[in-house]
Each structure stands twice: as C-alpha cells, then as structure tokens.
C-alpha cells in the first residue's frame, strides 16, 4: 500500500463473487486537499479517497454522497449515504474514507466486507 500523495489513480473494487470494478480516483492526503474534498462540486467522475481520515461532514456540499469507511488494509467497514449539511460519525477502526456521488457505491459493489485497492501512477 505505501504512502500516497495528492493526485489521481485508479480504484479497484473487489466485490461479491469476484466481481471487479475499476474507476477513476482522486487521492487527497494533504491537509488542504482533505479539507477541500468535494466542497463546491456538483459532480464527481469516480471517487475521492481521503487519507488519513476516520470521519467526514457534508456541510456546504451541493450533492448527497456515498461514504465508505476503510480500515488500514482497505477493507470496507461501513457504507453510508449522506445528504448535504450532515456530520458523519467517526469510525473507530477507519483509517481512510472513500467518497462518491450518492448511489455510485452500490453500483460498484462497495459494501461492508468488500475490499478495494488503489493504483497510483
């Protein structure tokens, strides 16, 4: 896994029954990039990974989002859909948070117990 830097990559979702989805990923590891996250956006192509992070908020967001909490091995602990203006409860074992447009994670097979990998250029 190693250390990531702010930038772009690919998220690979290893879902049920060996199902694999590959999609564009933004990686936000600096304080500035994590703080900005999806603020001010109307859409997102793929997902954004906040690392390190154990919780998020949707204050000043323009859209509802799916949030997946990941442990240190990138196993999905929980997935929630959050409307704008909410504070997400931090997860004790979470080390990373994955965000996407509402409804996207179900389509990709991201659910509790799934595993993801991150490929960066």
């Amino acid at each position: 896994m190693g250390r990531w830097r702010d930038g772009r990559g690919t998220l690979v979702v290893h879902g049920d029954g060996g199902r694999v989805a590959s999609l564009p990923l933004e990686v936000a590891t600096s304080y500035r990039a994590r703080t900005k996250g999806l603020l001010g956006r109307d859409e997102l192509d793929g997902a954004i990974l906040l690392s390190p992070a154990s919780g998020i908020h949707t204050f000043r967001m323009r859209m509802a989002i799916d949030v997946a909490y990941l442990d240190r091995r990138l196993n999905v602990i929980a997935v929630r859909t959050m409307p704008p203006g909410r504070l997400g409860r931090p997860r004790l074992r979470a080390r990373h948070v994955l965000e996407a447009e509402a409804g996207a994670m179900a389509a990709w097979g991201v659910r509790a117990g799934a595993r993801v990998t991150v490929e960066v250029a």
Side-chain angles (χ1 to χ4, degrees), residues 14-16 69 74-79 109-116:
H14 309 275
D16 298 335
Y69 299 90
L74 301 181
N75 295 310
V76 179
I77 298 169
V79 178
V110 177
R111 59 185 48 87
R115 186 170 189 287
V116 301

Side-chain angles (χ1 to χ4, degrees), residues 9-64:
T10 303
L11 178 73
V12 180
V13 180
H14 309 275
D16 298 335
R19 180 176 143 190
V20 176
S22 182
L23 50 128
L25 178 70
E26 292 180 36
V27 179
T29 59
S30 68
Y31 177 77
R32 184 178 190 159
R34 284 179 295 153
T35 302
K36 184 172 190 253
L38 295 176
L39 294 177
R41 297 195 202 184
D42 292 320
E43 62 184 8
L44 174 66
D45 180 29
I48 184 169
L49 177 71
L50 308 176
S51 179
S54 61
I56 60 105
H57 68 83
T58 59
F59 300 121
R60 296 185 5 235
M61 283 198 184
R62 297 178 180 172
M63 62 182 172

Side-chain angles (χ1 to χ4, degrees), residues 1-12 25-29 49 117-121:
M1 194 162 51
R3 290 202 177 256
W4 302 303
R5 291 192 172 149
D6 291 348
R8 298 196 175 273
T10 303
L11 178 73
V12 180
L25 178 70
E26 292 180 36
V27 179
T29 59
L49 177 71
T117 54
V118 173
E119 300 171 357
V120 290

